[in-house]
Amino acid sequence: MREKIVDFLWGTQQRKIWTSVIVGLFAASILIRFIAPVPPPHVALSGEPIFSTGPKWFTNSVLTTIIVDIVLILLALAVRFNLKEIPGAFQNFMEAIIEALYGLAESVAGKNASKFFPWVATIFLFVIISNWSGMLPGVGSIGFYHPTDKDKHGEHAAASESSAGHLLDQQLAMAGGSIVLAAPERVQEAPAAAEGEHGKFIPLFRAPSADLNVTFALAISTMVMVQIWGVRFLGGSYFHKFFNFSGPNPFMKGINGFVGILELVSEFSRVLAFGFRLFGNVFAGEIVLATMAFLIAFLLPVPFYVLELFVGFVQALVFMMLALVFFHMATISHGSHDEHH
């Protein structure tokens, strides 16, 4: 067994090189932790303002969303103005994606696939690029240090103490005409803490799907489109499924009314399911990647990057398919549905 392991790792010149590189990278990961300590992973549930004195709405996730939108627009223009009778590699690749997505849409929506396809294809492309953007180098690691509220309060308190009194013998202080007791260890640690405190780190870029604001905005807009498609296909009778008090007797009228309320509640619950499903998976992956890179910088995060590529694709596909199913269901009248069953 030992000979097999040695042969596997050291049997040929190529294996010796790869084994040496892998061992060297792991050793470098360990040495980096001691030579240049890596800051702990940055965790935030929502986007954070890029500028400490700028507009609060301009967060790192908003900036990345704008970049993703620009990438999508440029991609669409590149496809539009490079169409050829004999397609090249890029056109073949894009046509394969479009045909696969349209095939999925047609299998669910049938003849209405052409109406829903622009919406669901845009959702898929936006979500998948947003998901994968969090794995690009520099996303989440390049940013600025902003002064925290604690720093501001500390500076204000220091200025107040300087004007109202002074520290005596590292234990007693005069403040506002009264003598107060100050802890000596806090007095000694304050300069060191002030020197070592850089403020709060704010990344310049952040994956849009890892921000609750973005996922809920996408979920709300999708469910709004569900209602629009329902009204376009069924008119005012679309709302009959929410407010249905018909029936042969009072008992059935009450049952139908209760079912309508459940249908209305389900529309709002879909927003929550949409938003939290996408956010939870992408945010969890972001934390896993940051933690693995924090522990061992080289090689160890690679399998998790592969996993996140797959998860990002699956989540985009799930979001697209659910939106497509909800679009299609909104076009089916409640009465015809009951007769069919």
Side-chain angles (χ1 to χ4, degrees):
M1 184 64 180
R2 180 182 177 183
E3 293 178 355
K4 291 182 179 179
I5 295 176
V6 172
D7 180 67
F8 177 76
L9 298 176
W10 213 254
T12 63
Q13 186 65 26
Q14 188 176 9
R15 292 178 183 178
K16 290 179 181 179
I17 294 174
W18 279 108
T19 301
S20 301
V21 170
I22 292 173
V23 172
L25 289 175
F26 273 107
S29 299
I30 297 174
L31 289 175
I32 286 175
R33 295 297 306 276
F34 296 98
I35 297 174
V38 180
H42 180 79
V43 179
L45 290 176
S46 61
E48 299 162 292
I50 297 176
F51 305 107
S52 57
T53 56
K56 298 299 182 182
W57 61 266
F58 191 61
T59 63
N60 43 22
S61 57
V62 169
L63 175 61
T64 313
T65 301
I66 294 173
I67 295 174
V68 170
D69 292 338
I70 293 174
V71 169
L72 285 174
I73 293 172
L74 293 178
L75 185 63
L77 293 176
V79 173
R80 169 63 182 83
F81 293 106
N82 286 280
L83 293 176
K84 301 176 181 178
E85 293 185 3
I86 303 176
F90 176 70
Q91 184 174 337
N92 279 328
F93 175 73
M94 294 306 301
E95 285 181 357
I97 294 176
I98 298 302
E99 287 178 6
L101 294 179
Y102 190 81
L104 288 174
E106 199 171 27
S107 65
V108 174
K111 62 180 182 180
N112 294 324
S114 58
K115 297 182 177 67
F116 302 148
F117 177 72
W119 294 92
V120 296
T122 302
I123 289 173
F124 174 81
L125 294 175
F126 174 79
V127 172
I128 195 170
I129 295 177
S130 298
N131 293 349
W132 286 351
S133 66
M135 292 181 285
L136 295 175
V139 176
S141 58
I142 298 176
F144 312 98
Y145 283 99
H146 289 183
T148 61
D149 293 337
K150 182 179 179 181
D151 296 334
K152 296 176 183 177
H153 292 323
E155 293 175 0
H156 179 70
S160 299
E161 288 181 5
S162 175
S163 60
H166 59 279
L167 193 64
L168 300 176
D169 198 25
Q170 295 186 344
Q171 290 186 349
L172 297 178
M174 180 70 72
S178 303
I179 297 177
V180 296
L181 182 65
E185 56 271 18
R186 290 187 62 186
V187 175
Q188 294 171 1
E189 291 174 2
E195 292 176 1
E197 182 65 35
H198 298 290
K200 182 181 179 182
F201 177 74
I202 304 297
L204 181 59
F205 305 104
R206 180 177 183 175
S209 304
D211 184 356
L212 266 176
N213 296 302
V214 176
T215 58
F216 268 98
L218 190 59
I220 292 172
S221 59
T222 300
M223 292 310 301
V224 168
M225 283 307 304
V226 170
Q227 315 311 315
I228 292 175
W229 284 118
V231 173
R232 286 185 63 179
F233 275 81
L234 304 178
S237 63
Y238 167 75
F239 297 103
H240 183 67
K241 69 175 183 178
F242 301 127
F243 308 100
N244 181 15
F245 298 98
S246 61
N249 53 64
F251 177 76
M252 289 305 301
K253 290 180 179 178
I255 292 295
N256 290 333
F258 180 72
V259 171
I261 294 174
L262 291 181
E263 288 279 356
L264 187 61
V265 172
S266 70
E267 296 295 303
F268 291 97
S269 65
R270 288 171 183 174
V271 174
L272 297 177
F274 261 138
F276 279 116
R277 178 188 291 109
L278 181 58
F279 165 77
N281 284 275
V282 177
F283 180 73
E286 186 181 68
I287 298 301
V288 169
L289 292 178
T291 304
M292 292 300 105
F294 172 73
L295 295 175
I296 298 181
F298 304 110
L299 294 182
L300 182 62
V302 172
F304 295 94
Y305 272 92
V306 176
L307 177 63
E308 285 308 307
L309 282 173
F310 177 71
V311 171
F313 168 76
V314 169
Q315 289 305 313
L317 187 63
V318 168
F319 204 109
M320 168 193 162
M321 293 303 295
L322 288 177
L324 184 61
V325 169
F326 293 153
F327 288 169
H328 180 61
M329 290 174 59
T331 64
I332 302 174
S333 66
H334 191 65
S336 63
H337 180 76
D338 291 339
E339 292 174 2
H340 177 73
H341 288 281

